[in-house]
Amino acid sequence: MAGHFEATPGGGAAVALDEVEISILRSLAVQLLELIGPGDTPADGEDPLAALFAEGPSKPPSDPALARLFPDAYGGPDGPTPEGRSQEELRELSAEFRRFTETDLRSRKREDALAVVRTLDALSPAGGGGAVLTLTAEECRAWLGSLNDLRLTIGTRLEVSDEGEGEEASLYRLPDSDPRKPMVMAYLWLGALQETLVETLMP
């Protein structure tokens, strides 16, 4: 179990983590929360339902990592490109889609990261500082979403593209003196955690 997730009865998963791993995962999840930003809470006297259906932004985020987490729905590298549509039409379609979906997507990503923090905070480290993290099926889905978001964020900072298998392979060969090395190690480790968690959820 050490270093990778294993399936547990009821559709959950478990992984053994040492004290340093717990600290790193929690720190990364908190940084992700800071990147996504706080949620919009209704002001005093404001109708919560009105806030729920409030429109979101229509333009992509300027931060490359956020733009990776919240890509354009149409015409971008991560979205479909409908035939017969001009670039201007695609921008308008993406803006409209973003306006009505990004707020909800941000909320979901925020909840996933919060689930990571909460489950880590609930651990009771044994002697030596390690602990076994046991997740329910619902918590597994939140962790899977957050691990993916963390990988996308770190990958963007490292300038690794979705098709960059060669780029990712070259990360293994970075010398220890390279200042990117700690971020690379986190990126690869998160990938291994994500892969084994996916495997536990497969029928």
Side-chain angles (χ1 to χ4, degrees):
M1 183 186 296
H4 63 272
F5 280 99
E6 292 184 2
T8 59
V15 62
L17 300 170
D18 63 33
E19 191 173 6
V20 173
E21 291 170 334
I22 293 169
S23 177
I24 291 173
L25 280 168
R26 191 186 188 286
S27 175
L28 289 173
V30 169
Q31 290 178 61
L32 180 61
L33 282 167
E34 293 172 349
L35 178 66
I36 294 171
D40 294 327
T41 55
D44 291 340
E46 183 180 352
D47 181 1
L49 284 178
L52 180 65
F53 291 103
E55 293 184 6
S58 59
K59 294 182 180 180
S62 57
D63 185 309
L66 280 175
R68 189 88 177 271
L69 293 178
F70 306 102
D72 276 335
Y74 303 100
D78 299 312
T81 304
E83 293 184 11
R85 298 280 191 170
S86 68
Q87 287 300 313
E88 181 61 29
E89 287 176 311
L90 292 177
R91 280 192 291 270
E92 290 177 1
L93 285 171
S94 291
E96 189 76 0
F97 186 84
R98 183 181 298 277
R99 190 157 43 242
F100 293 105
T101 61
E102 185 171 312
T103 298
D104 183 62
L105 184 56
R106 278 182 182 263
S107 178
R108 191 169 78 238
K109 290 181 181 296
R110 191 180 299 112
E111 285 300 317
D112 286 347
L114 280 171
V116 171
V117 174
R118 288 168 182 152
T119 51
L120 291 173
D121 285 348
L123 286 177
S124 299
V132 174
L133 174 72
T134 303
L135 304 175
T136 65
E138 184 177 351
E139 289 169 342
C140 283
R141 287 188 287 273
W143 265 75
L144 196 57
S146 207
L147 286 172
N148 186 61
D149 289 343
L150 285 169
R151 290 236 328 144
L152 287 175
T153 301
I154 296 173
T156 302
R157 301 299 190 215
L158 291 170
E159 299 183 344
V160 176
S161 65
D162 289 333
E163 294 79 25
E165 292 185 9
E167 300 171 60
E168 188 165 320
S170 68
L171 297 178
Y172 288 93
R173 299 190 292 272
L174 282 181
D176 292 342
S177 58
D178 193 302
R180 297 171 296 166
K181 188 73 171 186
M183 192 182 297
V184 166
M185 297 304 294
Y187 177 78
L188 297 174
W189 175 53
L190 290 171
L193 284 176
Q194 183 183 14
E195 183 178 353
T196 59
L197 183 53
V198 168
E199 290 171 355
T200 69
L201 299 178
M202 294 176 64

